[in-house]
Amino acid sequence: MRFRLTDDQRALRAGVRQVLARHFDGEALRAAAGDGGPGGGGVGGGGVGRTVRPAGPDRALWRALGDAGFFALRLPQSDGGVGLGLPEAVLVFEEAGRALLPGPLVATHLAAGVVPGAATGEAVVTAVHGGLVEWLAEADVVRGDATGAVPLRSLDPLTPLHRVPGAASAPDPVATLLTAAEQLGTAGRVCELAAQHARAREQFGRPIGAFQAVAHLCAGMLVRTETARAAVYGAAVTADPVDVAAARLLADEAAVRGARDCLQVHGGMGFTWESEVHLHLKRAWVRTQRAGEVTESEEVLAADLWPGAP
Amino acid sequence: MDLSYTPEEEQFRARLREWLAKTLPALPPAPSPHDWPGRRAYDLGWQRRLYDAGYAAVHWDATPSVRLIFLEETEKAGAPYVGANFVGLLHAGPTVAAEGTDAQRSRWLPPILRGEEVWCQGFSEPEAGSDLAALRTRARRDGDEYVVTGSKIWTSHAEVADWCELLVRTDPDAQKRRGITWLALPMDAPGVTVRPLRTLTGTAEFAEVFLDEVRVPVGNRVGDENDGWRVTMVTLSFERGTAFAGEVVACRRVLGELAVEARGNGRWDDPALRRRLGRLNAEFRALWRLTQWNVSAAEASGGVPGAGGSVFKLRYSHARQELYDAAAEVLGADCLDLDRPWALDRLASLSYTIAAGTSQIQHGIIAERILGLPKGR
């Protein structure tokens, strides 16, 4: 059994992390999120959930991602792609999730080889899923029917959203899995942030991580992350829709609960705009909407127990 | 990332399946849970069959992957559990193999493998549970013997054991982990008293062991005097590693049975219950992948799993309790009937978040050893 990263996969992960650090570090993240703008509310200011308008996915970054093979990763080499598989794609999207990279990454990746310019990062491609479209105004191409799309004031300052009328189409399992990989990246990152803070922040004369109540919160984050990791990586190997549904549920849980616990560990600072913690939580919430209703994934998993059941 | 096995591993699986299909129908009926001599004979008989077929030492010298296949296939086939052989095969045996002298290995290991001797474990004490290193059972050196006085608790199979792997305090003045020694105690030695301990399930799965001036030869000591803590840690990581692999397979089977039961009694039509079972399916699929992940890590490092075992143990023990809580919802009022399946399993599941390191201890291990948080308490 070799259910672990190969040397090539480790190198790929390290390479992607490097590229992302170069093009989109913590400073770039905070700059993208802005300072909320003048008079931009906070609690009581009437502006909770402010409307910072990101300037669209950074085109230079998008092309750099294209050059790095981010979008063409799974295209066959004969079609100018990198020729890698789902496990590699999952590792790459995990890194994107860690870095909180903005933009319709999953949709553009899935458009590679279908929409001209997607593979190279020349085109920004978005897609309708879960009754929502991310980055509609900024994208060059939208896949799915976005007729009648109405902008909404997005809770995530780094993901502009439109609501699309009509019934949501069934989510593509690969899109669901890559989103789960992004959630896994967030889960790992917020666990690290919480542990860092718990080691550094002192109250009552010692690091708060020395208090069991705080330490156990952090340990719980790690347990959820590692369990989700096994589910996500496993689903990347099998590509089985039931495994994908399981990966989605566990990765959503690890990301959302992890980000909330990270916020809690950060105390008052966690509630500020300045801290990056809220950005992880808000993005995690956005991603939970991509793969359709949670209940649908649960029904897929229930039906697997009794294939003859409704 | 790869979930496939090598051709050699698949060959092992095929031969094992064939052997199980041939062997299991010929087994005698399982004894009642209250019949301790019957249980001993049954468990040892199973180990003897494994020995004759060449599977006895799979826990010791097979690769982690082969061991995983063994646990998976024996569980799927409904083979007997390791039972009374647990401590010998998974604790005391590996300890003796790793730390014992040649003479000790040839004295104690073959009878474990052949299914001739049963071992039990004398670690915990009434005043030393999670804080195991606080144990107080005293061993005083007297010539070629130790004279041991104290008491042990939570000792499984003590009533039918031949040997007890015993942790004793040999230096009361040293820092608490430094004054502990590992001894093999013959259970028939004068001064050993075993008192069954009835658990909330109603059966006596554990016992208390009282030691009153019991004489143990110095030759029964494994490792150096006062080095017993290190010697013991070799075995404890075994328990948190792949020991639960078969149980995850069993839980997944139970989940399928719950769906059938719910379908039969109409509760499957309740979407909330159905989705609860769906979530548990996700949980146990993930736990099986986590097992495969840990096995692969162990295989790559050539060692036993470390703190990663704590992640699994923590998650699994809670998932198991949730599984049987869901079973209670499927059963409705029948969940109160101990003659119904799963009612007793639900009670037994309550020990999982306590035994082999409580969930709170596991959280602490993860916080300190993986996340690098400062030592608390």
Side-chain angles (χ1 to χ4, degrees):
Chain A
M1 173 82 46
R2 287 158 309 278
F3 185 37
R4 58 177 185 268
L5 269 55
T6 63
D7 291 343
D8 284 350
Q9 286 167 341
R10 276 175 206 286
L12 173 72
R13 184 173 66 176
V16 172
R17 194 171 290 191
Q18 231 169 28
V19 168
L20 294 184
R22 200 159 53 235
H23 292 283
F24 194 74
D25 59 5
E27 216 167 291
L29 172 65
R30 274 183 291 275
D35 62 2
V43 177
V48 179
R50 62 198 74 193
T51 49
V52 176
R53 195 91 199 135
D58 181 334
R59 294 284 170 163
L61 169 62
W62 216 249
R63 268 190 298 277
L65 292 174
D67 289 343
F70 197 98
F71 303 119
L73 194 74
R74 289 182 307 121
L75 276 188
Q77 283 176 324
S78 53
D79 296 339
V82 187
L84 293 172
L86 262 187
E88 287 77 17
V90 154
L91 291 175
V92 165
F93 275 83
E94 182 184 343
E95 290 304 314
R98 262 183 76 84
L100 217 48
L101 196 61
L105 298 158
V106 173
T108 303
H109 175 93
L110 288 173
V114 184
V115 175
T120 55
E122 286 159 284
V124 174
V125 182
T126 188
V128 180
H129 33 214
L132 293 166
V133 199
E134 302 175 14
W135 299 94
L136 179 61
E138 296 79 3
D140 303 309
V141 178
V142 55
R143 301 178 77 195
D145 183 8
T147 315
V150 181
L152 54 85
R153 205 154 62 91
S154 176
L155 170 140
D156 177 11
L158 291 172
T159 312
L161 290 169
H162 281 69
R163 197 182 285 110
V164 180
S169 53
D172 173 0
V174 175
T176 301
L177 179 61
L178 295 181
T179 297
E182 288 186 298
Q183 295 287 57
L184 174 62
T186 288
R189 179 67 184 144
V190 293
C191 181
E192 272 174 26
L193 287 173
Q196 270 170 20
H197 187 73
R199 284 192 297 264
R201 168 78 172 168
E202 292 196 11
Q203 288 287 276
F204 304 101
R206 45 185 172 149
I208 59 170
F211 297 105
Q212 288 191 344
V214 175
H216 290 194
L217 215 51
C218 295
M221 294 165 73
L222 183 113
V223 170
R224 289 193 296 269
T225 303
E226 293 312 306
T227 310
R229 183 184 309 286
V232 171
Y233 290 0
V237 174
T238 66
D240 171 359
V242 183
D243 280 339
V244 170
R248 182 259 172 120
L249 291 180
L250 290 170
D252 276 356
E253 180 201 37
V256 171
R257 287 194 57 191
R260 293 184 77 130
D261 287 350
C262 180
L263 201 151
Q264 182 70 24
V265 168
H266 277 76
M269 278 309 294
F271 194 65
T272 64
W273 189 271
E274 173 192 347
S275 147
E276 69 176 86
V277 181
H278 70 110
L279 299 174
H280 291 282
L281 176 58
K282 289 168 178 175
R283 188 72 61 83
W285 273 335
V286 166
R287 295 191 199 112
T288 60
Q289 296 300 318
R290 283 196 204 142
E293 301 289 334
V294 164
T295 51
E296 287 169 29
S297 298
E298 290 167 345
E299 290 286 6
V300 166
L301 284 149
D304 170 64
L305 295 173
W306 178 266
Chain B
M1 282 180 225
D2 189 356
L3 289 166
S4 61
Y5 294 88
T6 64
E8 293 76 31
E9 287 163 354
E10 288 298 356
Q11 240 168 37
F12 173 86
R13 185 195 299 274
R15 269 189 292 116
L16 176 58
R17 269 189 194 166
E18 198 182 317
W19 179 76
L20 287 167
K22 197 175 65 198
T23 307
L24 294 183
L27 285 186
S32 133
H34 301 281
D35 175 10
W36 279 102
R39 283 173 67 169
R40 175 190 158 103
Y42 185 81
D43 295 348
L44 288 176
W46 171 241
Q47 179 61 23
R48 179 68 204 197
R49 283 178 163 84
L50 289 173
Y51 178 82
D52 289 339
Y55 294 115
V58 72
H59 297 293
W60 296 1
D61 51 24
T63 65
S65 292
V66 166
R67 213 174 144 227
L68 182 67
I69 293 170
F70 178 83
L71 292 168
E72 183 184 2
E73 293 300 327
T74 48
E75 176 57 45
K76 280 184 173 164
Y81 293 111
V82 65
N85 303 298
F86 183 85
V87 172
L89 285 173
L90 294 165
H91 281 264
T95 302
V96 171
E99 301 289 331
T101 63
D102 287 345
Q104 289 173 331
R105 282 198 284 264
S106 52
R107 165 62 190 89
W108 287 317
L109 298 186
I112 293 174
L113 290 179
R114 288 194 300 256
E116 291 164 1
E117 288 183 346
V118 168
W119 285 67
C120 63
Q121 190 184 71
F123 285 6
S124 299
E125 297 180 5
E127 300 300 325
S130 290
D131 186 8
L132 179 59
L135 61 91
R136 300 199 290 213
T137 291
R138 182 81 175 92
R140 174 173 53 81
R141 183 78 177 257
D142 181 23
D144 287 342
E145 292 176 323
Y146 288 104
V147 183
V148 183
T149 298
S151 66
K152 294 290 177 179
I153 195 169
W154 311 123
T155 306
S156 310
H157 300 101
E159 295 93 326
V160 293
D162 303 287
W163 295 93
C164 178
E165 56 163 340
L166 191 69
L167 288 182
V168 294
R169 183 155 307 280
T170 33
D171 184 351
D173 300 322
Q175 189 265 343
K176 61 185 185 179
R177 291 185 181 184
R178 299 218 177 93
I180 292 170
T181 299
W182 194 105
L183 297 177
L185 163 79
M187 288 298 282
D188 60 1
V192 177
T193 310
V194 174
R195 191 163 75 196
L197 188 65
R198 197 167 182 224
T199 70
L200 59 74
T201 64
T203 58
E205 283 302 311
F206 300 102
E208 288 177 278
V209 178
F210 299 93
L211 305 161
D212 181 16
E213 301 274 308
V214 180
R215 293 189 160 263
V216 180
V218 168
N220 285 18
R221 185 187 75 214
V222 169
D224 290 339
E225 190 169 285
N226 297 327
D227 196 27
W229 185 260
R230 186 192 61 77
V231 168
T232 303
M233 286 306 125
V234 176
T235 61
L236 282 190
S237 51
F238 250 76
E239 188 167 25
R240 291 175 196 154
T242 50
F244 296 110
E247 295 195 11
V248 175
V249 174
C251 286
R252 293 186 67 182
R253 188 187 57 233
V254 169
L255 204 47
E257 290 166 2
L258 291 182
V260 173
E261 176 78 17
R263 183 80 170 157
N265 68 22
R267 289 194 170 87
W268 186 260
D269 296 334
D270 172 4
L273 172 71
R274 212 163 53 223
R275 290 171 196 157
R276 183 177 185 181
L277 296 179
R279 278 217 167 248
L280 282 165
N281 189 9
E283 184 70 24
F284 283 103
R285 278 172 173 258
L287 284 166
W288 181 244
R289 295 290 180 232
L290 192 55
T291 303
Q292 292 175 315
W293 185 257
N294 287 344
V295 163
S296 299
E299 191 131 323
S301 70
V304 290
S310 288
V311 172
F312 178 85
K313 199 271 180 186
L314 195 46
R315 185 90 182 196
Y316 167 65
S317 55
H318 287 271
R320 188 178 174 98
Q321 292 177 354
E322 283 167 27
L323 172 70
Y324 287 110
D325 284 346
E329 192 181 340
V330 169
L331 288 172
D334 281 353
C335 77
L336 301 178
D337 180 356
L338 288 175
D339 287 330
R340 290 300 305 255
W342 309 315
L344 202 57
D345 296 317
R346 187 182 187 203
L347 292 178
S349 77
L350 297 171
S351 74
Y352 276 69
T353 48
I354 300 169
T358 65
S359 295
Q360 287 66 40
I361 290 291
Q362 307 294 351
H363 272 105
I365 289 172
I366 291 165
E368 284 170 27
R369 297 194 204 156
I370 303 183
L371 294 174
L373 298 186
K375 250 191 178 350
R377 313 214 207 294

Short mmCIF file of all heavy atoms in Angstrom, two decimals, chain B residues 177-196:
data_model
loop_
_atom_site.label_atom_id
_atom_site.label_comp_id
_atom_site.label_asym_id
_atom_site.label_seq_id
_atom_site.Cartn_x
_atom_site.Cartn_y
_atom_site.Cartn_z
N ARG B 177 8.89 8.54 35.87
CA ARG B 177 9.06 7.63 34.73
C ARG B 177 10.38 6.85 34.82
O ARG B 177 10.57 5.89 34.08
CB ARG B 177 9.07 8.43 33.43
CG ARG B 177 7.73 9.02 33.10
CD ARG B 177 7.75 9.67 31.75
NE ARG B 177 6.43 10.25 31.50
CZ ARG B 177 6.08 10.85 30.36
NH1 ARG B 177 6.95 10.94 29.38
NH2 ARG B 177 4.88 11.34 30.21
N ARG B 178 11.28 7.29 35.66
CA ARG B 178 12.60 6.67 35.69
C ARG B 178 12.72 5.54 36.70
O ARG B 178 13.75 4.90 36.77
CB ARG B 178 13.67 7.74 35.99
CG ARG B 178 13.71 8.81 34.92
CD ARG B 178 15.10 9.27 34.61
NE ARG B 178 15.08 10.26 33.52
CZ ARG B 178 15.01 11.57 33.71
NH1 ARG B 178 15.01 12.06 34.94
NH2 ARG B 178 14.97 12.40 32.69
N GLY B 179 11.68 5.33 37.52
CA GLY B 179 11.81 4.30 38.54
C GLY B 179 10.94 3.10 38.29
O GLY B 179 10.55 2.39 39.21
N ILE B 180 10.61 2.84 37.00
CA ILE B 180 9.65 1.79 36.66
C ILE B 180 10.35 0.63 35.96
O ILE B 180 11.28 0.84 35.17
CB ILE B 180 8.54 2.38 35.75
CG1 ILE B 180 7.70 3.38 36.55
CG2 ILE B 180 7.67 1.29 35.15
CD1 ILE B 180 6.74 4.20 35.72
N THR B 181 9.92 -0.59 36.26
CA THR B 181 10.53 -1.78 35.67
C THR B 181 9.45 -2.70 35.12
O THR B 181 8.34 -2.77 35.66
CB THR B 181 11.38 -2.51 36.74
OG1 THR B 181 12.40 -1.62 37.17
CG2 THR B 181 12.01 -3.79 36.19
N TRP B 182 9.77 -3.40 34.03
CA TRP B 182 8.84 -4.32 33.34
C TRP B 182 9.15 -5.75 33.77
O TRP B 182 10.28 -6.21 33.59
CB TRP B 182 9.03 -4.16 31.84
CG TRP B 182 7.98 -4.75 30.92
CD1 TRP B 182 7.04 -4.06 30.24
CD2 TRP B 182 7.82 -6.13 30.53
NE1 TRP B 182 6.29 -4.91 29.47
CE2 TRP B 182 6.73 -6.18 29.62
CE3 TRP B 182 8.47 -7.33 30.87
CZ2 TRP B 182 6.30 -7.38 29.04
CZ3 TRP B 182 8.03 -8.53 30.29
CH2 TRP B 182 6.94 -8.53 29.39
N LEU B 183 8.17 -6.45 34.32
CA LEU B 183 8.36 -7.83 34.76
C LEU B 183 7.32 -8.75 34.13
O LEU B 183 6.18 -8.33 33.92
CB LEU B 183 8.21 -7.94 36.28
CG LEU B 183 9.19 -7.18 37.18
CD1 LEU B 183 8.79 -7.39 38.64
CD2 LEU B 183 10.63 -7.65 36.95
N ALA B 184 7.71 -10.00 33.88
CA ALA B 184 6.74 -11.03 33.50
C ALA B 184 6.36 -11.79 34.76
O ALA B 184 7.19 -12.48 35.36
CB ALA B 184 7.33 -11.96 32.45
N LEU B 185 5.10 -11.63 35.15
CA LEU B 185 4.63 -12.24 36.40
C LEU B 185 3.85 -13.52 36.08
O LEU B 185 2.88 -13.47 35.32
CB LEU B 185 3.70 -11.25 37.11
CG LEU B 185 2.80 -11.80 38.21
CD1 LEU B 185 3.59 -11.99 39.50
CD2 LEU B 185 1.61 -10.88 38.45
N PRO B 186 4.29 -14.68 36.66
CA PRO B 186 3.47 -15.88 36.48
C PRO B 186 2.20 -15.75 37.32
O PRO B 186 2.28 -15.48 38.52
CB PRO B 186 4.35 -17.02 37.00
CG PRO B 186 5.55 -16.37 37.62
CD PRO B 186 5.46 -14.90 37.50
N MET B 187 1.03 -15.91 36.70
CA MET B 187 -0.22 -15.63 37.40
C MET B 187 -0.53 -16.64 38.50
O MET B 187 -1.40 -16.41 39.34
CB MET B 187 -1.38 -15.56 36.40
CG MET B 187 -1.36 -14.32 35.52
SD MET B 187 -1.51 -12.77 36.45
CE MET B 187 -3.29 -12.76 36.77
N ASP B 188 0.19 -17.80 38.47
CA ASP B 188 -0.07 -18.79 39.52
C ASP B 188 0.87 -18.63 40.72
O ASP B 188 0.89 -19.46 41.62
CB ASP B 188 0.02 -20.21 38.95
CG ASP B 188 1.40 -20.51 38.35
OD1 ASP B 188 2.28 -19.60 38.40
OD2 ASP B 188 1.59 -21.61 37.82
N ALA B 189 1.64 -17.54 40.74
CA ALA B 189 2.56 -17.33 41.87
C ALA B 189 1.77 -17.08 43.14
O ALA B 189 0.71 -16.45 43.11
CB ALA B 189 3.48 -16.14 41.56
N PRO B 190 2.27 -17.57 44.29
CA PRO B 190 1.58 -17.30 45.57
C PRO B 190 1.50 -15.79 45.83
O PRO B 190 2.47 -15.07 45.56
CB PRO B 190 2.49 -17.98 46.60
CG PRO B 190 3.31 -18.97 45.83
CD PRO B 190 3.45 -18.42 44.45
N GLY B 191 0.34 -15.36 46.32
CA GLY B 191 0.16 -13.93 46.63
C GLY B 191 -0.58 -13.18 45.54
O GLY B 191 -0.88 -11.99 45.71
N VAL B 192 -0.91 -13.86 44.41
CA VAL B 192 -1.68 -13.20 43.34
C VAL B 192 -3.16 -13.51 43.53
O VAL B 192 -3.55 -14.68 43.61
CB VAL B 192 -1.24 -13.70 41.94
CG1 VAL B 192 -2.11 -13.06 40.85
CG2 VAL B 192 0.23 -13.42 41.70
N THR B 193 -4.00 -12.48 43.65
CA THR B 193 -5.44 -12.67 43.76
C THR B 193 -6.13 -11.91 42.64
O THR B 193 -5.83 -10.74 42.41
CB THR B 193 -5.97 -12.12 45.10
OG1 THR B 193 -5.17 -12.65 46.15
CG2 THR B 193 -7.43 -12.49 45.32
N VAL B 194 -7.06 -12.60 41.96
CA VAL B 194 -7.79 -11.96 40.86
C VAL B 194 -9.24 -11.79 41.26
O VAL B 194 -9.88 -12.73 41.72
CB VAL B 194 -7.70 -12.82 39.58
CG1 VAL B 194 -8.58 -12.24 38.48
CG2 VAL B 194 -6.26 -12.93 39.10
N ARG B 195 -9.74 -10.56 41.12
CA ARG B 195 -11.16 -10.32 41.42
C ARG B 195 -11.83 -9.73 40.19
O ARG B 195 -11.45 -8.66 39.73
CB ARG B 195 -11.29 -9.36 42.59
CG ARG B 195 -12.72 -9.27 43.12
CD ARG B 195 -12.78 -8.66 44.49
NE ARG B 195 -12.58 -7.22 44.41
CZ ARG B 195 -12.27 -6.45 45.46
NH1 ARG B 195 -12.11 -6.97 46.66
NH2 ARG B 195 -12.12 -5.15 45.31
N PRO B 196 -12.83 -10.44 39.62
CA PRO B 196 -13.49 -9.94 38.41
C PRO B 196 -14.14 -8.58 38.67
O PRO B 196 -14.62 -8.31 39.76
CB PRO B 196 -14.56 -10.99 38.12
CG PRO B 196 -14.13 -12.20 38.89
CD PRO B 196 -13.37 -11.72 40.08
#
